[in-house]
Amino acid sequence: MKKTFLAVVALPALLFSALSVADPHQSGDIILRGGLSSVVVDSGSSSITIPANDPVISPNTLSVDNGTQVAFNFVYFFNRHWAFEFNTATPSAHDIQLQNSTTSVNVAEVSQIPLTFSALYYPDKSWDFKPYVGVGVNYSYFLSEKFNGAAADFDYKDLGFDNSFDLAFQVGADYQINSAWSVNVSARYVGANTKAAFTVGSVNETSGFSKIDMNPWIYSLMVGYQF
């Protein structure tokens, strides 16, 4: 009975070892990845502040929607457990809505590029499935801010977003297809708190702003190559 039990326990482990194609990571290993990321904004809306306290405009809010990016990252291993990761992506375009109690209008768009530097920890053994966790810092660079034609109805113009610098956290996993190629999935939470400034008014222009806590979740699917 004891021998039967040991055989039942040992057989899956032997099969797993036979099928495994991945050794533990070593110092100096490098992985380059590329794929798609979906940027899901956590809140992305905030009340508009007008110093003149215009009674028509003040109740409105600006909100930012989700976006999609082509993402890339670079991973360098210090040893089998610890690695450094740099992650970036092509600009993701986000529509901006102007909302009040009765209506929502798409009035502008902004593009955003994340630059994230993280320390990764792999509880890595000779597994083809290699999970990890990470923590780091993110710099969100905003560009191509512009109001569109609908904003003219509300006398909005001169849109600008402040870049942001905040913490980032992630969980992810690589699955080794062979000794060089892998598939990666990850979920990354990024602090991205920004301020959208603008002017409003067709005659006497007034400066206004909206503090927006985007704080997106970024879900990625990538293919990696290990050197």
Side-chain angles (χ1 to χ4, degrees), residues 157-180:
K157 51 189 171 183
D158 303 328
L159 177 64
F161 274 66
D162 288 346
N163 299 330
S164 71
F165 186 81
D166 216 320
L167 294 176
F169 306 90
Q170 68 168 307
V171 294
D174 298 311
Y175 182 79
Q176 294 292 144
I177 299 171
N178 55 40
S179 59

Side-chain angles (χ1 to χ4, degrees), residues 48 60-65 94-100 103-110 144-159 161 196 198-199 212:
I48 293 172
N60 291 339
T61 63
L62 286 181
S63 64
V64 180
D65 75 349
H94 301 268
D95 289 331
I96 300 171
Q97 287 82 37
L98 179 67
Q99 301 171 318
N100 58 30
T103 186
S104 176
V105 180
N106 184 7
V107 295
E109 68 177 39
V110 62
S144 301
E145 310 100 314
K146 59 182 178 181
F147 285 114
N148 59 32
D153 297 335
F154 302 90
D155 294 328
Y156 281 77
K157 51 189 171 183
D158 303 328
L159 177 64
F161 274 66
F198 51 86
T199 58
I212 301 177

Side-chain angles (χ1 to χ4, degrees), residues 20 69 78 85 90 96 157-158 162 177 191 197 209:
S20 178
Q69 301 169 291
F78 299 106
E85 180 193 71
T90 58
I96 300 171
K157 51 189 171 183
D158 303 328
D162 288 346
I177 299 171
F209 67 91

